[in-house]
Amino acid sequence: SQQGEEDPQALSIQEGENATMNCSYKTSINNLQWYRQNSGRGLVHLILIRSNEREKHSGRLRVTLDTSKKSSSLLITASRAADTASYFCATDASRGLTFGQGTILTVHP
Amino acid sequence: EPEVTQTPSHQVTQMGQEVILRCVPISNHLYFYWYRQILGQKVEFLVSFYNNEISEKSEIFDDQFSVERPDGSNFTLKIRSTKLEDSAMYFCASSEWGPSYNEQFFGPGTRLTVL
């Protein structure tokens, strides 16, 4: 697999539920970032976690990083229909960010 | 809130033509980037730019591509002779400091269609 692979590929939940997306990567990193992309639109930066951090919160978002397992998770709590989007993790590398394929999250009202 | 802007939002061109995609990064940012996303595929890094020169580029960024900061605000991507496979969304991004330590902020993208 390639750097920055997310799973699941698609996630469908009801409004109010929590959504958890995972990301695995191959090489060592300085930081890992999560982005959101609404259909056909640009990428919105959500959160950055540095390699020496294990957990970070921003509003309803919680990101964890396990560098020993080369994995990260993004938790969205109390999801809303407006959270429907694709979510990508991106790892820094010497040559720009490397993005995964993304998780398509659908939140049903 | 400051944001990265890109023009045009959609560009249609004939194969073999030159196109210039334009970006205005966030004003106090020093690093600029271009990425592309072919429909249904991953976002791919093309090039990073700092201090008026390319700092890194990917294998995709061949001789057909060039970047320029023609003035204090614009950052452009030129594709000299477009191919069908250049059809994609092109995203510009900027960051305050280097890519290893800072968030990159993305523009809304330019959808390039090569006919």
Side-chain angles (χ1 to χ4, degrees), chain A residues 50-106:
Chain A
R50 303 196 190 284
S51 60
N52 62 352
E53 297 175 310
R54 291 296 165 258
E55 188 171 310
K56 201 161 182 180
H57 297 254
S58 176
R60 293 185 295 113
L61 305 180
R62 174 178 167 253
V63 168
T64 63
L65 179 64
D66 186 337
T67 52
S68 66
K69 295 181 180 177
K70 292 187 167 59
S71 67
S72 173
S73 68
L74 170 67
L75 168 67
I76 304 174
T77 60
S79 63
R80 304 167 184 166
D83 294 329
T84 294
S86 293
Y87 291 82
F88 299 89
C89 69
T91 52
D92 72 300
S94 61
R95 301 193 297 175
L97 292 174
T98 300
F99 285 82
Q101 197 74 30
T103 293
I104 300 171
L105 173 66
T106 304

Side-chain angles (χ1 to χ4, degrees), chain B residues 28-101:
Chain B
N28 65 329
H29 285 187
L30 301 179
Y31 287 79
F32 315 120
Y33 315 85
W34 283 101
Y35 292 81
R36 80 172 184 191
Q37 184 180 31
I38 295 171
L39 187 64
Q41 297 188 23
K42 295 182 182 185
V43 176
E44 302 172 289
F45 168 74
L46 292 178
V47 65
S48 61
F49 191 86
Y50 168 71
N51 200 26
N52 282 320
E53 58 183 32
I54 290 173
S55 46
E56 302 286 350
K57 59 183 181 179
S58 72
E59 296 81 7
I60 303 167
F61 194 88
D62 61 22
D63 292 344
Q64 293 296 314
F65 292 90
S66 63
V67 289
E68 193 179 31
R69 187 154 164 83
D71 53 44
S73 60
N74 289 285
F75 178 51
T76 62
L77 174 70
K78 182 193 290 186
I79 309 175
R80 288 192 185 83
S81 179
T82 49
K83 307 183 189 74
L84 295 176
E85 54 265 36
D86 293 328
S87 294
M89 281 287 285
Y90 287 81
F91 295 106
C92 173
S94 69
S95 64
E96 191 172 359
W97 300 110
S100 294
Y101 299 99

